[in-house]
Every structure is written in C-alpha cells, then in structure tokens.
Amino acid sequence: MERPTVDLLQPLWRALVVFRVLTWVFAGLGVWARWDGIVRPYGAVLQLAVMGVWTLISSYGYSIRWGRRNTRLAFADLIVTVGCMYATLWAQPLLDIRGGASVLTSVWAAGPVLALAISRGRDGGLLGAITISLALLSLRGVDHVSKILSNVQLLLVAGLVVGYAATTMRQAGERLRSAITAEGATAERLRLSRSIHDGVLQVLAQVQRRGTAIGGEALELAELAAEQEVALRTLMSTRPAVNGDRVDLCGLLLPLATTRVDVVVPAGQVLLPAATATELVAAVKEALSNVTKHAGAGARAWVVVEELGADVVVSIRDDGLGTTPARLEQARVDGHLGVSQSIRGRITDLGGTVTVRTAPGEGTEWELKI
C-alpha cells in the first residue's frame, strides 16, 4: 500500500490562508471606520475589491499542494501586495499619507512576508519584510521613519520566527520521511526473512547435513549449500548503512560474513562519519585478507564490533597459524605494506590505535580502536 506523503508545512499554509482572509476583513473595517476622512472613498472600495480578489486567488493557491510552486506564488503575492499598498493613492493623495493618513492595506500587507518565510525559510522571510518595509517607507516618507519603525520590527520578527519554524518543520518532515521509508524497508525485510527462513534456509541446511554425511562428491555440494546459507543469513541481517551524514559501521561490516568469517555487531547502530567508516572497513578487509593468505587452510575468523563510550573498537581474530611480532616487523622492513599501511596507516591517520596479539599456533588478533 502506498504511504501518504508527509508534509508538515501544510498547517502553516492553511494558517496563512486564514490570516489572509481575516486581515482583509480587518482592512475593510478600517476603511469603514475612516470613511469620512478618505478623500476618494470609491478609490478605497476599488482597492479593497482588488485586495479581495487577490486574497481569493492566493488563498486557493496556498491551500492546494503546489510544492515548489508556492515559492513562485509567494513572490507573486509580494509584488501584488506592494501594488495594493501603492493603490492607497487611489483613495488618498500622497501628501495626506505622508501627513498621517493610513495605508489602507494595514496588516494585510504582512501576508507575503509569512508566505516567503514558509516557502524559503529565514532568508525568504527577511526578503519579504524588507520589501514591504521599503514600500511603506516610500509612501510614508523619511520624515516618519520613527512612526513606522514598530511596523518594520514586527515584519522582521515575523519573517525570522516563521522562517525558522518552517525550516525546522521541513527538516523534521525529511527525517520523518526517512524514518517511514526505513520502517517500510525493515518490515519488508522481516517478511522476506520469515519466508526465507521457513523455506530456503531449511533446505540448504538439510543439503549441507546430508552432503557432509554422504561425503565424496556430495561434500562439495554441502560446502556450496553452506556458503549460500551464510550469504542468505547475511542478507537477512543486513540493515541500512546510511543515516543522514553518518553511516552505520555495522551495516558495512555485516556483508563480510562467510562460512569462515563470523561478524558480531551490537543490536543498535554504530554511527561514524562516512570517511572514517570507509577507512575502518578497508582496514578490516585487509586483516581478513591476511587471514586467507597466512593463517592456513581451514582457519576461521571473527569480526567483533564494540562501542565503548566515545570509542569504537573492532577486533579481528583468527584461529590460524599465528606468527610473532618480530616477523610482522620484518615484513614491514622488507616492503610488505599490508600491515604497516593498509591497517596501521589507515587507523593512525584517523587518530586511532592498533594493537596486535599473536603467537605461533595461537592465531592472530587485531584490535582497531577509533
């Protein structure tokens, strides 16, 4: 079933529509209260009519799900609103306005400031507030700056506060969409895991047991079945590795599991910067490569991830032939860079530490701490 689109900004757009309508009514009441003082009353009626038509058009546009088109509508709203402010000249001469007569748009002029703040965040709100303030200043004149300062302050505060709220809600919406997507993927993975476990894995396990018991050519079939069983179990346990600007180290390491490599990770995510996680996984792969090359036939390995406070520790241990620290140092001197560069070098560059424990016949354990 298709999940509904998350849009946390829609209530803000609806609130803006209510604001637009109420402030238009407020502007109409203001004209009615000052009717006797208006030089050209019918000019004021015409101005209110234009404002009313645009209120209907913009309200309809803000009410439907236009997405990015709301930005274009908000800029159009800004232009029309500035035009309606200058339309006060139909009702009052400029000298009367600069002498103290009211600009008839009143609080209705704040509409595009809020629209731009919702659509474009703090910067959009500031742009709208500055534009409306300059238009008001040009009508009132520089001699009345102190009188309109309170209006300018309210516009700037409204643009900043609503812009910040809209940006926060937009970020929350993106996180919610990511969470819903992850939840859906997890549910689907669990459904598939149950189906695979009840069918394919049981068949593969049976083939492995029977092939091992029969021996001969069936033994190769048993090994293949075991490899596929591990691959399927790894796929079933794999989880999303990306979480915002950080990645889950466990999600990157789980696919390294094979019939001879066990990967043990915490139940929760171990989040690291992407570059750090990538280098750490590369060092683990190099350590596992050394197991294949030097630990001996049939050697097994274990990769264990631990989160200890501010530290992340990855241990790679095998039950192979082992070696001595002196031989590791001699390999570095002889120019074998697998240990010195691919493992130690990577972890050192990340500001971490590397500890190796090994002895002949006792395997090797690498401890990578970040």
Side-chain angles (χ1 to χ4, degrees), residues 124-364:
L126 285 177
L127 174 62
I130 292 172
T131 302
I132 296 298
S133 298
L134 290 176
L136 184 61
L137 180 63
S138 67
L139 285 169
R140 287 292 195 184
V142 294
D143 295 335
H144 298 279
V145 173
S146 59
K147 293 182 179 180
I148 67 173
L149 185 59
S150 59
N151 293 333
V152 172
Q153 290 175 337
L154 287 175
L155 289 171
L156 290 173
V157 169
L160 284 172
V161 172
V162 176
Y164 175 77
T167 300
T168 302
M169 293 179 71
R170 186 174 288 109
Q171 293 172 348
E174 292 173 355
R175 288 194 292 268
L176 181 58
R177 280 190 291 271
S178 298
I180 291 175
T181 301
E183 180 187 4
T186 300
E188 180 65 15
R189 188 181 301 110
L190 289 175
R191 186 187 68 80
L192 290 175
S193 296
R194 287 192 295 269
S195 176
I196 292 172
H197 182 271
D198 294 340
V200 179
L201 286 179
Q202 292 183 6
V203 172
L204 289 174
Q206 181 67 14
V207 170
Q208 180 185 358
R209 286 194 296 270
R210 292 290 295 168
T212 302
I214 295 173
E217 295 182 355
L219 187 59
E220 182 179 356
L221 180 62
E223 293 177 352
L224 291 175
E227 292 175 359
Q228 293 304 309
E229 181 184 3
V230 171
L232 279 175
R233 290 188 183 279
T234 300
L235 180 62
M236 290 164 56
S237 62
T238 300
R239 55 207 194 194
V242 180
N243 189 326
D245 58 347
R246 300 166 75 83
V247 296
D248 178 19
L249 176 65
C250 303
L252 297 178
L253 290 177
L254 282 171
L256 300 181
T258 67
T259 55
R260 295 183 177 180
V261 178
D262 290 333
V263 179
V264 182
V265 300
Q269 293 183 321
V270 178
L271 297 177
L272 294 173
T276 301
T278 300
E279 289 296 283
L280 187 52
V281 171
V284 172
K285 288 181 178 179
E286 180 62 27
L288 292 176
S289 175
N290 284 339
V291 174
T292 303
K293 295 176 183 177
H294 308 298
R300 293 183 55 82
W302 293 264
V303 178
V304 181
V305 179
E306 299 176 278
E307 194 169 17
L308 306 176
D311 296 331
V312 174
V313 179
V314 180
S315 302
I316 308 96
R317 180 172 61 86
D318 67 70
D319 60 0
L321 301 176
T323 183
T324 63
R327 291 182 63 184
L328 289 176
E329 178 61 22
Q330 186 60 43
R332 184 190 67 80
V333 173
D334 293 342
H336 299 288
L337 302 181
V339 171
S340 63
Q341 294 298 324
S342 296
I343 299 179
R344 292 188 185 277
R346 280 191 168 99
I347 304 305
T348 301
D349 289 345
L350 295 174
T353 59
V354 176
T355 303
V356 59
R357 304 178 184 90
T358 184
E362 297 183 7
T364 302

Side-chain angles (χ1 to χ4, degrees), residues 23 26-27 34 51 85 103-110:
T23 53
F26 182 80
R34 294 189 293 271
M51 291 167 57
M85 292 176 67
V103 177
L104 301 183
T105 51
S106 187
V107 186
W108 184 84

